[in-house]
Amino acid sequence: MPSLTQAQSNAVEQLLRISGIIDHLGHLFEDAGHRLYLVGGSVRDALLGGLGRDLDFTTSAQPDLTHELLKRFTPSTWDIGRDFGTIGALKRDGRDEWQIEITTFRADIYRSESRKPVVAFGDTLEGDLIRRDFTVNAMAVDVLTKQFVDPYDGLRDLSEGVLRTPAAPETSFSDDPLRMMRAARFASRLGFEVAPEVVAAMTDMAERITIVSAERIQAELSGLLLTDSPRAGLDLLVRTGIAEYVLPELPALQLELDEHHRHKDVYEHSLTVLEQSIDLEKARGHAPDLVGRLAALLHDIGKPDTRRFEGSKVTFHHHDIVGAKQVKRRLRALNYPNVVIKSVAKLVELHLRFHGYGEGQWSDAAVRRYVRDAGDELERLHILTRSDCTTRNRDKATRLRRNYEELEWRIDELAKAEELDSLRPDLDGTEIMAILGIPPGREVGEAYRFLLEHRTENGPCDRAEAEALLLDWWGSRQEA
């Protein structure tokens, strides 16, 4: 964490960088009789030396006036957040582009039975800041005077790497329970410790998260998973009991170990797989991938329901299939898009496929089937399968890694020879109908699947051979 003097130096440097933008805005609001403050995450990031191009402001002006003033500043404005006091704008300055949001001083609260905040506008900066989630986000800078406003010691907490709430945590979390999940996200994103009184309040008030809408919970969970180090935040949600309400399948992985310790800790294993998948994601040149990270975290959620003791062994037969169904139920409850749900469930269902072929005994047909079943999720399946090795046995880990490298090499070789990425039958549906003289219907689909299975087992063939195979198959059906 930066020292106080370093943080202050960072802020001066960052504010000078955007002075042309904020000075103009500040004068517009001053001429209208109002003050404008850079606030929240923008000030925090400036102090950390990483202010981006999204600038957040707060003001004493009401939304209608803010919109009017912004239209004098830039032609690109929007008021989709007007009901919540927020007006947005896009400002281009040479090659630079700034996204700006200005919000009227707020004094929102949640009613005990409500899933949405009651929007109320405040009349003081300090009143606005105390309603914010954490002290490190409750600092402001007067745009004109550059006066630093820090009534709740956010700069000290930023320097010490601690997350505290400006008001008593019970008050803060009662006003907006989603802040409890936000604590987990910021703990992971910033690498900060959460103050003991904040953890205690989260534990005592965990059930209050149930009044928050599924969409807002989903957004916070996704934001947490997309940080570089989500483990700390996820563990905080589990320790405080919040995960029991938003993602109960995660704490359920903390299976009680049997006296002989015949299986590894599934919860710790899942967090490790997530960490390893993030490392591989980066190593293979990918941007943060929500689907892959959800699959890594949830790949074993079918284990608690499938655990059986068979003599000296513990088994989890079909936990991949059971887990895929559980993933669909949970992600639907969190209102994730269908495309995300489908992809995550598919990865969970396939995550054991590699181990079903023993010690690298992969025929060409098995390789084709692996690629066909993975479809568009093949690269994610590579990452998940590789990450799902947390054994401390070095020989076993090396053997598994080499076997999977062999599989990826085989896939690459077959792909070059057979266009494996687009595995299809040698005849399409239109050709099948023309050859057999049949209209669209169930029989066309059956013929297509027959040819696809032949292609998977035996590789590609030329058109004449494909037609002969189709006609033989059709003839045998007619005879039957």
Side-chain angles (χ1 to χ4, degrees), residues 91-155:
K91 178 68 173 179
R92 293 181 175 85
D93 182 26
R95 294 184 178 180
D96 294 330
E97 188 173 272
W98 308 90
Q99 184 161 311
I100 294 165
E101 287 193 348
I102 302 179
T103 302
T104 303
F105 294 158
R106 294 278 290 272
D108 301 350
I109 61 170
Y110 267 77
R111 300 302 181 196
S112 60
E113 74 287 352
S114 175
R115 288 178 175 266
K116 295 182 179 180
V118 177
V119 178
F121 299 137
D123 52 13
T124 68
L125 175 62
E126 287 72 16
D128 177 272
L129 295 179
I130 200 171
R131 291 290 184 180
R132 292 180 179 264
D133 49 12
F134 304 105
T135 59
V136 296
N137 297 328
M139 299 175 282
V141 175
D142 187 306
V143 166
L144 279 185
T145 68
K146 305 303 185 288
Q147 177 188 2
F148 182 62
V149 184
D150 182 22
Y152 306 108
D153 291 327
L155 184 57

Side-chain angles (χ1 to χ4, degrees), residues 42 51 57 143 188-189 250 263 304 414 421 425 432:
S42 292
L51 179 62
F57 298 88
V143 166
S188 282
R189 178 184 169 188
L250 184 58
H263 66 86
L414 275 177
D421 289 341
I432 290 170

Side-chain angles (χ1 to χ4, degrees), residues 345-367:
K346 186 174 189 177
L347 289 166
V348 171
E349 185 173 343
L350 293 177
H351 82 273
L352 292 180
R353 183 66 61 89
F354 164 72
H355 301 283
Y357 288 90
E359 295 295 317
Q361 300 168 3
W362 287 80
S363 65
D364 285 353
V367 173

Side-chain angles (χ1 to χ4, degrees), residues 2-156:
S3 65
L4 292 181
T5 54
Q6 180 60 53
Q8 290 162 333
S9 176
N10 289 341
V12 170
E13 180 182 345
Q14 296 296 312
L15 291 173
L16 285 173
R17 184 168 65 86
I18 64 170
S19 60
I21 296 289
I22 64 175
D23 288 352
H24 185 185
L25 264 179
H27 284 297
L28 281 172
F29 277 80
E30 182 186 42
D31 292 345
H34 292 278
R35 308 301 293 179
L36 183 69
Y37 301 88
L38 190 70
V39 74
S42 292
V43 176
R44 181 199 67 227
D45 292 344
L47 289 163
L48 291 171
L51 179 62
R53 300 197 179 279
D54 293 348
L55 303 179
D56 294 325
F57 298 88
T58 189
T59 181
S60 55
Q62 294 289 300
D64 288 346
L65 178 57
T66 296
H67 199 186
E68 180 184 330
L69 296 174
L70 271 176
K71 285 191 287 188
R72 300 180 199 172
F73 178 69
T74 175
S76 301
T77 66
W78 56 90
D79 65 350
I80 192 171
R82 181 186 296 270
D83 291 344
F84 297 94
T86 301
I87 306 296
L90 188 68
K91 178 68 173 179
R92 293 181 175 85
D93 182 26
R95 294 184 178 180
D96 294 330
E97 188 173 272
W98 308 90
Q99 184 161 311
I100 294 165
E101 287 193 348
I102 302 179
T103 302
T104 303
F105 294 158
R106 294 278 290 272
D108 301 350
I109 61 170
Y110 267 77
R111 300 302 181 196
S112 60
E113 74 287 352
S114 175
R115 288 178 175 266
K116 295 182 179 180
V118 177
V119 178
F121 299 137
D123 52 13
T124 68
L125 175 62
E126 287 72 16
D128 177 272
L129 295 179
I130 200 171
R131 291 290 184 180
R132 292 180 179 264
D133 49 12
F134 304 105
T135 59
V136 296
N137 297 328
M139 299 175 282
V141 175
D142 187 306
V143 166
L144 279 185
T145 68
K146 305 303 185 288
Q147 177 188 2
F148 182 62
V149 184
D150 182 22
Y152 306 108
D153 291 327
L155 184 57
R156 179 201 63 195

Side-chain angles (χ1 to χ4, degrees), residues 245-476:
Y245 299 100
V246 300
L247 193 64
E249 294 80 3
L250 184 58
L253 293 176
Q254 295 178 305
L255 298 176
E256 182 180 347
L257 291 175
D258 62 280
E259 58 181 335
H260 301 294
H261 295 270
R262 287 174 287 185
H263 66 86
K264 67 183 74 175
D265 184 324
V266 183
Y267 171 71
E268 291 295 330
H269 164 75
S270 297
L271 293 180
T272 301
V273 172
L274 174 60
E275 289 180 319
Q276 293 183 167
S277 73
I278 291 172
D279 290 341
L280 268 178
E281 184 185 87
K282 294 175 181 176
R284 293 170 79 109
H286 301 302
D289 177 31
L290 179 62
V291 167
R293 296 184 185 197
L294 280 167
L297 180 65
L298 303 177
H299 73 285
D300 274 347
I301 64 170
K303 280 191 170 180
D305 285 351
T306 58
R307 183 170 67 157
R308 301 289 184 273
F309 294 105
E310 299 177 0
S312 61
K313 294 178 59 179
V314 62
T315 65
F316 302 97
H317 295 313
H318 307 301
H319 77 268
D320 46 346
I321 306 302
V322 172
K325 293 177 180 178
Q326 291 176 328
V327 159
K328 289 179 181 178
R329 286 197 298 270
R330 177 53 48 199
L331 298 188
R332 283 177 187 144
L334 290 169
N335 283 346
Y336 274 97
N338 286 334
V339 64
V340 171
I341 296 171
K342 182 178 179 181
S343 294
V344 176
K346 186 174 189 177
L347 289 166
V348 171
E349 185 173 343
L350 293 177
H351 82 273
L352 292 180
R353 183 66 61 89
F354 164 72
H355 301 283
Y357 288 90
E359 295 295 317
Q361 300 168 3
W362 287 80
S363 65
D364 285 353
V367 173
R368 294 188 197 101
R369 196 176 302 280
Y370 191 83
V371 173
R372 183 194 71 187
D373 291 348
D376 293 340
E377 307 304 329
L378 182 60
E379 173 63 5
R380 285 170 170 153
L381 185 59
H382 287 333
I383 291 174
L384 175 59
T385 305
R386 284 179 173 273
S387 302
D388 193 21
C389 175
T390 61
T391 179
R392 295 179 182 178
N393 183 318
R394 290 187 178 182
D395 290 340
K396 181 178 180 181
T398 299
R399 186 170 66 252
L400 287 170
R401 177 177 54 80
R402 287 176 177 171
N403 286 346
Y404 205 85
E405 286 173 354
E406 170 73 13
L407 171 59
E408 286 204 59
W409 179 83
R410 292 280 304 284
I411 289 172
D412 289 342
E413 289 301 302
L414 275 177
K416 293 174 185 176
E418 302 181 7
E419 297 182 354
L420 205 57
D421 289 341
S422 55
L423 190 62
R424 298 183 181 89
D426 297 292
L427 299 172
D428 63 25
T430 300
E431 292 169 319
I432 290 170
M433 289 187 288
I435 293 168
L436 299 182
I438 59 176
R442 178 176 54 83
E443 292 174 324
V444 178
E446 292 176 358
Y448 186 94
R449 287 189 290 275
F450 162 74
L451 290 173
L452 178 60
E453 186 65 23
H454 185 277
R455 167 82 165 78
T456 300
E457 288 293 329
N458 302 286
C461 59
D462 59 32
R463 182 179 177 85
E465 184 181 355
E467 288 187 15
L469 284 167
L470 177 63
L471 290 170
D472 284 347
W473 172 83
W474 182 250
S476 65

